[in-house]
Amino acid sequence: MIWLGIDTSNMPLSVAVVKDDTLLVEWTSSVKITHSVGAMPAVEEALKQANLKPTDLDAIAVSEGPGSYTGVRIGVTIAKTLAWTLNIPLVGVSSLETLAGNGYLFNGLICPIMDARRQNVFSAVYTNTGEPKLGDGHYSLEDLLAKMTDMEEKIIFIGHDVAIHWDAIQLALGERAVRAPYYLDLPRASVLIAQAKMKDMPSNEATHHFVPDYKRITEAEANWRADQKKAGNSHE
Amino acid sequence: MSKDQLILGIETSCDETAASIVRNGTEIISNVVSSQIESHKRFGGVVPEIASRHHVEQVTIVIEEALKQANLQPADLDAVAVTEGPGLVGALLIGINAAKAFAFANELPLVGVHHIAGHIYANQLVEPMQFPLVALVVSGGHTEIVLMRDHGSFELIGETRDDAAGEAYDKVARVLKLPYPGGPHIDKLAHEAEEVIAFPRVWLEEGSYDFSFSGLKSSVINYMHNAEQRGEVIKPEAVAAGFQASVVEVLTAKTLRAAKEFNVKHVIAAGGVSANKGLRAALESTFEREGIPFTVPPLFLCTDNAAMIAAAGSVMFEKGILSTMSMNGKPGMPLFNW
Ligand SMILES: [Zn+2]
């Protein structure tokens, strides 16, 4: 069984090819180039290095978000199109779950962090066996840290955006907060594939209806709903 | 061409998700368009993030439908052509990445097409282009006169200095409180009018092929304002007719002057606003009178579609103008020669 994994949900890019239980090729970078320029050449190169053709693939795993809207969509569009045209299943995994996967060997809880601007984050808290303790979501940093105060264990914070919020995290949690080393801060498509393998395999027909999990409605929609409320209309 | 050439076109530059298969650059085998107009209506215009979300939901469905309607397999195709720009960047990226993944999986060449070249080449699906040719390109984002001496040769001889014609239509439609998208509503109202308000024509300096519509838009707003203050009843039909008459007269006259100056064999109209009945009628009668062959695509090929992208991509593919897997969306892409 040969898997291709793609994560473009935030600034880092990761692409991997896994055959059964062997990681054949993995490309992970956090160089600022747009995923539209970098992702398909990375897929092409990964398969070439693995000495495989697109038709050798058996399944595709993709990071379904949350993260950068455009970033998530690029990965999902590539994965959807490949899965559909190659007639193989497509499995989506939360980008937060994949990042948390880098910390499964940590003795404590795991908190993946992605900055969502204005003191907000996409985050979650997972156990080191991958069970969600606090679900994936869009949180204000303050709310997130408040929810952690009565979790007793140590918590490792993972992600290249942890740096932005590290002072506030330490202030709130003190010694209980552990910062991941840099080499765990980038999502890895091999972890994504391992997590995808644990999920139910969707039918090939489901691929057309696969959509990113944005975790947020659009700003236009939010404004529109607020205007409707103000005008006293109930929305559809 | 010994064997038929089959090109899959993909277009997602604005609010239509579209795929089409075209044979030999001239014959539509299938043409699928999934429109989002309903989703953007309540916002009074296209919301880029919502457009991108729709594209990612629709893109594989639309491509599959294009193949199904054509009764073809990916292996039957010769190349994949996709709109590379200009347009909404987030929207462009969906079509581009779908096209790249599809081309990669099926080992097909990839062609990146300029959206306006696509609109121009929609005419190839109607009648072969004769060179030299003048194209009037009018849409929500563009108002241009392009001189073509051959395939893939585009000389921009005039363009708008402010609003695009379609943009002016949308803005005036808003002033007249017409629903989005406003253009077709103004066109319809204009045809119902019994009187016509006189608005100025903006010709700019002598000999210029450029356009300016923002002054006309202001004239309409001023007229409405003054009429309101004087307590007069405003007849929207008369305003629409006056506005349309001004736009159509300037577009037609400048296109005709360009056609004569460059001694062209063919005049074509392209872009969403070329679906406007008033404009089509004026161009048709003008060039018939002048004895210059004139083509405008049927309405479904004036608005955004993927058949036009495949038609332009067909000629680019023949010329060997190919793209790579690192193709990016180019929101401000200039029209380039091939
Ligand atoms: Zn267009």
Side-chain angles (χ1 to χ4, degrees):
Chain A
M1 179 102 178
I2 300 173
W3 284 79
L4 171 70
I6 304 168
D7 188 333
T8 61
S9 56
N10 286 280
M11 190 268 276
L13 165 68
S14 189
V15 170
V17 180
V18 168
K19 185 178 185 185
D20 301 323
D21 284 323
T22 307
L23 171 57
L24 296 181
V25 178
E26 183 167 47
W27 170 266
T28 302
S29 66
S30 62
V31 180
K32 261 197 182 152
I33 59 163
T34 158
H35 291 310
S36 185
V37 171
M40 272 311 296
V43 167
E44 195 175 25
E45 189 59 26
L47 287 179
K48 200 170 134 199
Q49 292 294 322
N51 206 7
L52 294 168
K53 288 207 294 281
T55 45
D56 294 326
L57 295 172
D58 296 302
I60 300 207
V62 71
S63 174
E64 65 188 13
S68 134
Y69 295 159
T70 301
V72 173
R73 271 195 292 269
I74 288 173
V76 167
T77 300
I78 291 171
K80 253 183 110 158
T81 308
L82 288 176
W84 158 67
T85 194
L86 294 168
N87 198 23
I88 55 178
L90 170 64
V91 182
V93 177
S94 141
S95 57
L96 289 162
E97 185 180 344
T98 296
L99 200 48
N102 286 353
Y104 284 172
L105 295 177
F106 178 71
N107 189 10
L109 296 171
I110 307 162
C111 177
I113 295 248
M114 294 160 189
D115 187 53
R117 277 174 289 191
R118 292 180 221 135
Q119 289 301 305
N120 293 311
V121 289
F122 291 116
S123 188
V125 178
Y126 285 89
T127 68
N128 60 11
T129 53
E131 295 301 315
K133 183 133 176 155
L134 175 67
D136 288 6
H138 179 261
Y139 300 97
S140 76
L141 187 70
E142 202 183 337
D143 278 357
L144 178 75
L145 293 172
K147 287 179 203 296
M148 288 176 176
T149 43
D150 34 301
M151 295 179 187
E152 312 254 286
E153 291 158 90
K154 285 197 165 195
I155 305 174
I156 187 168
F157 288 82
I158 301 186
H160 72 290
D161 289 338
V162 171
I164 304 169
H165 303 292
W166 183 240
D167 289 345
I169 293 168
Q170 271 194 311
L171 202 68
L173 301 177
E175 295 280 285
R176 282 207 297 125
V178 177
R179 185 161 171 193
Y182 73 88
Y183 51 85
L184 296 182
D185 273 341
L186 303 184
R188 295 185 53 191
S190 57
V191 175
L192 165 69
I193 292 170
Q195 291 164 334
K197 285 177 163 199
M198 308 289 285
K199 300 192 190 292
D200 292 336
M201 198 71 102
S203 72
N204 294 2
E205 288 68 43
T207 298
H208 280 318
H209 307 289
F210 189 96
V211 287
D213 186 2
Y214 299 104
K215 295 283 175 221
R216 291 196 80 189
I217 58 168
T218 63
E219 216 169 289
E221 179 78 37
N223 292 341
W224 184 84
R225 286 189 194 177
D227 286 350
Q228 294 294 301
K229 227 179 201 169
K230 236 186 270 162
N233 302 339
S234 62
H235 40 81
E236 302 140 83
Chain B
M1 260 171 266
S2 50
K3 165 189 166 291
D4 277 344
Q5 178 218 56
L6 291 165
I7 307 278
L8 167 68
I10 299 173
E11 148 69 37
T12 64
S13 68
C14 190
D15 61 344
E16 322 272 7
T17 320
S20 166
I21 295 168
V22 168
R23 182 184 286 143
N24 299 333
T26 56
E27 188 191 341
I28 298 174
I29 308 297
S30 65
N31 186 40
V32 181
V33 180
S34 161
S35 173
Q36 311 174 0
I37 287 184
E38 286 305 316
S39 308
H40 297 282
K41 230 176 205 165
R42 63 190 161 128
F43 303 111
V46 176
V47 180
E49 175 60 23
I50 291 175
S52 301
R53 290 187 179 195
H54 276 282
H55 287 310
V56 77
E57 285 169 24
Q58 292 297 318
V59 70
T60 57
I61 296 174
V62 165
I63 300 171
E64 180 173 80
E65 189 58 29
L67 284 161
K68 248 188 211 159
Q69 284 183 13
N71 199 15
L72 291 169
Q73 299 299 317
D76 301 325
L77 300 170
D78 291 284
V80 182
V82 65
T83 308
E84 187 173 6
L88 302 170
V89 65
L92 287 166
L93 290 177
I94 304 306
I96 288 171
N97 282 284
K100 286 200 282 190
F102 184 86
F104 172 67
N106 297 294
E107 300 183 59
L108 292 169
L110 182 68
V111 183
V113 176
H114 191 283
H115 183 77
I116 296 303
H119 273 303
I120 291 173
Y121 272 80
N123 283 281
Q124 280 275 103
L125 301 164
V126 181
E127 216 178 312
M129 288 152 92
Q130 308 286 333
F131 302 103
L133 163 157
V134 152
L136 171 67
V137 181
V138 271
S139 71
H142 296 264
T143 306
E144 287 156 13
I145 297 181
V146 179
L147 171 66
M148 293 179 70
R149 296 182 199 271
D150 201 350
H151 279 297
S153 150
F154 306 97
E155 282 172 57
L156 194 64
I157 59 170
E159 64 187 321
T160 182
R161 295 185 184 168
D162 39 61
D163 293 348
E167 216 176 332
Y169 267 93
D170 284 343
K171 286 177 179 171
V172 168
R174 234 169 281 158
V175 176
L176 292 174
K177 303 205 163 51
L178 299 172
Y180 168 85
H185 290 281
I186 291 186
D187 195 16
K188 192 160 165 276
L189 273 185
H191 283 273
E192 292 163 3
E194 283 167 0
E195 67 184 276
V196 178
I197 311 287
F199 290 118
R201 274 74 173 138
V202 181
W203 299 104
L204 301 170
E205 43 320 326
E206 196 170 333
S208 171
Y209 289 113
D210 281 353
F211 301 98
S212 168
F213 294 110
S214 73
L216 171 60
K217 176 196 67 195
S218 305
S219 301
V220 174
I221 294 171
N222 284 341
Y223 168 82
M224 301 279 291
H225 215 82
N226 295 338
E228 244 165 61
Q229 282 194 330
R230 287 195 298 265
E232 295 173 9
V233 181
I234 296 169
K235 291 183 184 149
E237 316 87 60
V239 175
F243 165 76
Q244 174 139 315
S246 171
V247 174
V248 167
E249 185 180 328
V250 175
L251 291 174
T252 307
K254 292 207 178 203
T255 309
L256 174 60
R257 192 153 50 77
K260 284 182 168 170
E261 182 183 337
F262 297 101
N263 212 353
V264 302
K265 292 200 178 111
H266 197 177
V267 174
I268 62 176
V273 180
S274 63
N276 182 290
K277 290 196 187 69
L279 179 61
R280 293 168 81 93
L283 289 168
E284 267 159 12
S285 68
T286 299
F287 289 105
E288 196 184 305
R289 196 179 62 227
E290 297 289 333
I292 305 172
F294 170 75
T295 314
V296 60
L299 301 189
F300 77 98
L301 292 176
C302 289
T303 47
D304 288 350
N305 64 85
M308 68 185 201
I309 300 304
S314 160
V315 182
M316 294 178 75
F317 174 65
E318 283 303 314
K319 292 190 172 207
I321 316 292
L322 302 181
S323 299
T324 68
M325 284 295 136
S326 59
M327 184 202 290
N328 197 6
K330 297 191 179 69
M333 188 181 191
L335 195 54
F336 66 102
N337 292 331
W338 21 272

